[in-house]
Protein backbone atom coordinates (compact mmCIF):
# COMPACT_ATOMS: atom_id res chain seq x y z
CA UNK A 1 0.00 0.00 0.00
CA UNK A 2 1.64 3.23 -1.12
CA UNK A 3 -0.92 5.60 0.40
CA UNK A 4 0.76 8.11 2.72
CA UNK A 5 -2.26 8.45 5.01
CA UNK A 6 -2.67 4.66 5.32
CA UNK A 7 0.98 4.61 6.41
CA UNK A 8 0.33 7.39 8.93
CA UNK A 9 -2.69 5.48 10.27
CA UNK A 10 -0.74 2.21 10.64
CA UNK A 11 2.22 4.07 12.21
CA UNK A 12 4.75 3.42 9.42
CA UNK A 13 5.04 7.20 8.88
CA UNK A 14 5.21 9.26 12.09
CA UNK A 15 2.56 11.85 12.88
CA UNK A 16 1.36 13.92 15.80
CA UNK A 17 -1.89 12.37 16.99
CA UNK A 18 -4.75 14.65 17.98
CA UNK A 19 -7.64 12.18 18.27
CA UNK A 20 -8.27 8.53 17.49
CA UNK A 21 -11.12 6.02 17.63
CA UNK A 22 -12.21 2.85 15.83
CA UNK A 23 -13.29 4.74 12.71
CA UNK A 24 -10.80 7.55 12.27
CA UNK A 25 -7.41 8.99 13.12
CA UNK A 26 -6.69 12.72 13.43
CA UNK A 27 -3.23 14.28 13.25
CA UNK A 28 -1.61 17.66 12.73
CA UNK A 29 -0.98 18.81 9.16
CA UNK A 30 2.72 18.87 8.26
CA UNK A 31 2.28 22.24 6.45
CA UNK A 32 -0.22 24.04 8.71
CA UNK A 33 -2.29 26.80 7.08
CA UNK A 34 -3.56 28.08 10.43
CA UNK A 35 -2.44 27.78 14.08
CA UNK A 36 -4.81 24.82 14.36
CA UNK A 37 -4.69 22.59 11.27
CA UNK A 38 -5.79 19.02 11.90
CA UNK A 39 -6.55 16.28 9.37
CA UNK A 40 -9.22 13.70 10.21
CA UNK A 41 -8.93 10.55 8.09
CA UNK A 42 -11.00 7.36 8.11
CA UNK A 43 -9.00 4.24 8.97
CA UNK A 44 -10.55 2.67 5.88
CA UNK A 45 -8.86 3.69 2.60
CA UNK A 46 -11.40 5.72 0.63
CA UNK A 47 -9.95 7.84 -2.18
CA UNK A 48 -12.18 10.89 -1.88
CA UNK A 49 -15.65 12.19 -1.16
CA UNK A 50 -16.45 11.47 -4.81
CA UNK A 51 -15.87 7.74 -4.19
CA UNK A 52 -18.37 7.48 -1.32
CA UNK A 53 -21.90 6.13 -1.51
CA UNK A 54 -24.93 5.65 0.73
CA UNK A 55 -23.08 3.01 2.79
CA UNK A 56 -20.61 5.72 3.87
CA UNK A 57 -23.19 8.16 5.29
CA UNK A 58 -22.54 7.18 8.88
CA UNK A 59 -18.76 7.35 8.47
CA UNK A 60 -18.97 10.79 6.83
CA UNK A 61 -21.10 12.06 9.71
CA UNK A 62 -18.60 10.58 12.14
CA UNK A 63 -15.69 12.43 10.51
CA UNK A 64 -17.53 15.78 10.79
CA UNK A 65 -18.51 14.99 14.38
CA UNK A 66 -14.84 14.22 15.18
CA UNK A 67 -13.86 17.61 13.69
CA UNK A 68 -16.37 19.39 15.98
CA UNK A 69 -15.09 17.47 19.02
CA UNK A 70 -11.49 18.42 18.22
CA UNK A 71 -12.55 22.05 17.68
CA UNK A 72 -14.14 22.03 21.14
CA UNK A 73 -11.05 20.51 22.77
CA UNK A 74 -8.88 23.11 20.99
CA UNK A 75 -11.10 25.88 22.33
CA UNK A 76 -12.01 27.31 18.92
CA UNK A 77 -14.90 29.32 20.34
CA UNK A 78 -14.55 32.09 17.71
CA UNK A 79 -15.20 29.58 14.93
CA UNK A 80 -13.31 27.40 12.53
CA UNK A 81 -13.47 25.89 9.05
CA UNK A 82 -14.04 22.29 7.99
CA UNK A 83 -12.91 21.48 4.43
CA UNK A 84 -12.98 18.39 2.23
CA UNK A 85 -10.88 19.06 -0.88
CA UNK A 86 -12.11 16.66 -3.54
CA UNK A 87 -10.39 15.77 -6.80
CA UNK A 88 -7.96 17.86 -8.89
CA UNK A 89 -10.17 20.96 -9.16
CA UNK A 90 -10.96 20.70 -5.46
CA UNK A 91 -7.27 20.94 -4.63
CA UNK A 92 -6.94 17.39 -3.29
CA UNK A 93 -3.29 16.29 -3.18
CA UNK A 94 -3.51 13.13 -1.03
CA UNK A 95 -5.86 10.48 -2.39
CA UNK A 96 -7.15 9.24 0.95
CA UNK A 97 -10.32 10.97 2.15
CA UNK A 98 -9.65 13.51 4.89
CA UNK A 99 -11.32 16.42 6.60
CA UNK A 100 -9.30 19.57 7.29
CA UNK A 101 -10.06 21.42 10.53
CA UNK A 102 -8.61 24.95 10.42
CA UNK A 103 -8.83 27.54 13.13
CA UNK A 104 -7.37 30.00 15.63
CA UNK A 105 -7.13 32.80 13.08
CA UNK A 106 -9.64 34.67 10.88
CA UNK A 107 -10.01 32.77 7.59
CA UNK A 108 -10.67 34.61 4.33
CA UNK A 109 -13.40 33.86 1.81
CA UNK A 110 -13.63 33.01 -1.05
CA UNK A 111 -10.84 30.42 -1.08
CA UNK A 112 -8.36 30.34 -3.96
P1 LIG B 1 -5.31 17.95 0.40
O1 LIG B 1 -4.48 18.91 -0.41
O2 LIG B 1 -6.67 18.42 0.74
O3 LIG B 1 -5.28 16.56 -0.22
O4 LIG B 1 -4.57 17.85 1.80
C1 LIG B 1 -3.47 17.04 2.04
C2 LIG B 1 -2.81 17.59 3.26
O5 LIG B 1 -1.95 16.59 3.77
C3 LIG B 1 -1.94 18.82 3.00
O6 LIG B 1 -2.43 19.91 3.80
C4 LIG B 1 -0.55 18.38 3.43
O7 LIG B 1 0.18 19.39 4.08
C5 LIG B 1 -0.85 17.21 4.35
N1 LIG B 1 0.19 16.21 4.46
C6 LIG B 1 0.86 15.58 3.46
N2 LIG B 1 1.74 14.69 3.95
C7 LIG B 1 1.60 14.75 5.31
C8 LIG B 1 2.25 14.08 6.40
N3 LIG B 1 3.19 13.15 6.19
N4 LIG B 1 1.87 14.40 7.67
C9 LIG B 1 0.92 15.34 7.89
N5 LIG B 1 0.28 15.99 6.90
C10 LIG B 1 0.62 15.72 5.63
ZN1 LIG C 1 -5.03 5.37 2.26
Amino acid sequence: MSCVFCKIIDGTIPSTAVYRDDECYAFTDIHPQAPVHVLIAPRQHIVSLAETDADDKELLGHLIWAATEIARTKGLSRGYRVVLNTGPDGGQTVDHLHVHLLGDRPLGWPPG
Side-chain angles (χ1 to χ4, degrees), residues 4-63:
V4 62
F5 283 6
C6 282
K7 288 179 176 166
I8 285 174
I9 290 161
D10 73 17
T12 313
I13 293 176
S15 63
T16 301
V18 174
Y19 171 83
R20 70 181 96 215
D21 63 28
D22 288 348
E23 300 298 320
C24 69
Y25 178 66
F27 53 101
T28 57
D29 196 294
I30 204 165
H31 296 303
Q33 302 302 312
V36 172
H37 189 171
V38 176
L39 303 174
I40 303 107
R43 291 187 182 276
Q44 178 190 351
H45 180 84
I46 298 171
V47 171
S48 81
L49 204 52
E51 312 293 320
T52 60
D53 58 28
D55 290 342
D56 300 311
K57 279 196 247 180
E58 198 171 320
L59 175 62
L60 291 171
H62 185 82
L63 297 174

Side-chain angles (χ1 to χ4, degrees), residues 3-5 39 46-48 85 91-98:
C3 171
V4 62
F5 283 6
L39 303 174
I46 298 171
V47 171
S48 81
N85 295 330
Q92 184 174 5
T93 59
V94 175
D95 289 336
H96 179 128
L97 178 69
H98 52 281

